[in-house]
Amino acid sequence: MAKLRLSKKAIAIIIVVAVIVVAVGCFGATYGILHRKLKTPDAKVVSVIAEPSYTIEIGWKKVSGAKTYTVEYKYELYPDVVHTASGLADTSLTIKMIKGNLQFRIKSVGDYASNTSDFSEWQNYKVEPLTLDAFRGFNFKLVEGEGYQIDMDTFYPITYVYKGNTYAVNYYEIDALNADELRGEDELQPQAVSLTQLTNGLSFKLPSGSGVWNFYVRPVLYVEVNGVKDYTQAEGLYELYDENISYTVVQLIV
């Protein structure tokens, strides 16, 4: 059988082709590794700290190949606002503590858009609201020509602590009903009054001999500005405390 003899030129061509094939294969393998879709992290709430910082920490395990992470989160209290924290090099994120349902999701980010993971499913975490102390009640005084007023020497405002400072709840709802008039708490039509109004003398002109009156009183998480409830002025109060507050009933016999 005749032996196949290759010229030096043919051998050179074969070598070049082989090198190209190997290079293409290596490039393809490298490209596949670099552009492989990353694993989606599994994030969870790892700590909740109230006083003094009022923060929530979300944590997750490191994903191989991830350069950074992106977390989106939103609060039940502000359902239309989605917060985004991107470029996170660590495996945790500390955010503000706000009552209600917290939702969050996360993705791994690589060197390329093609290997960035999908976002995880939205995770839910229930942040229980804080509770204000119970209202203690008060006495009345009769002011000639004005009617009955709350004796502010016996009125003790509800206070709360936020980041090391103590604040007084500034607004209260009050409704006065004759004991013969029965209503549920959800049927009351209270007036929102400030501590300043109470201190200056809020008068209740009740008919003499009209019997027992029930005054329904409770602190609220808002201030009233021109008849509109403003929840933004009392720092930390609305975002942290339970707004389902029961009324305290104070009786007055006229």
Side-chain angles (χ1 to χ4, degrees), residues 59-209:
W60 57 93
K61 291 183 179 180
K62 182 177 178 60
V63 172
S64 178
K67 299 300 181 182
T68 62
Y69 306 90
T70 297
V71 176
E72 291 185 346
Y73 60 98
K74 56 185 176 179
Y75 300 101
E76 181 180 359
L77 208 59
Y78 309 112
D80 297 328
V81 180
V82 178
H83 303 270
T84 302
S86 57
L88 301 171
D90 294 329
T91 56
S92 67
L93 171 67
T94 299
I95 63 175
K96 188 176 183 180
M97 174 183 171
I98 296 179
K99 70 185 180 186
N101 190 47
L102 168 68
Q103 290 187 296
F104 56 92
R105 62 180 186 172
I106 184 173
K107 68 179 179 180
S108 302
V109 180
D111 288 316
Y112 307 96
S114 58
N115 71 338
T116 293
S117 78
D118 296 325
F119 267 111
S120 65
E121 296 294 325
W122 286 102
Q123 303 297 308
N124 296 282
Y125 184 85
K126 180 71 172 180
V127 179
E128 294 296 335
L130 305 179
T131 304
L132 292 173
D133 293 335
F135 185 67
R136 294 171 56 180
F138 49 82
N139 297 327
F140 289 92
K141 60 183 181 181
L142 180 60
V143 179
E144 186 175 352
E146 296 294 334
Y148 289 92
Q149 294 180 0
I150 294 173
D151 183 354
M152 293 305 291
D153 289 337
T154 65
F155 187 102
Y156 300 96
I158 297 298
T159 60
Y160 65 99
V161 176
Y162 182 66
K163 293 188 175 180
N165 295 313
T166 300
Y167 301 90
V169 176
N170 193 43
Y171 267 78
Y172 297 79
E173 289 181 345
I174 300 178
D175 196 6
L177 297 176
N178 191 278
D180 295 334
E181 188 177 358
L182 301 178
R183 289 187 194 174
E185 288 194 355
D186 58 343
E187 299 175 302
L188 296 176
Q189 297 177 328
Q191 175 185 1
V193 295
S194 69
L195 288 176
T196 300
Q197 289 173 289
L198 292 174
T199 301
N200 290 341
L202 179 66
S203 298
F204 301 91
K205 295 184 177 181
L206 305 174
S208 179

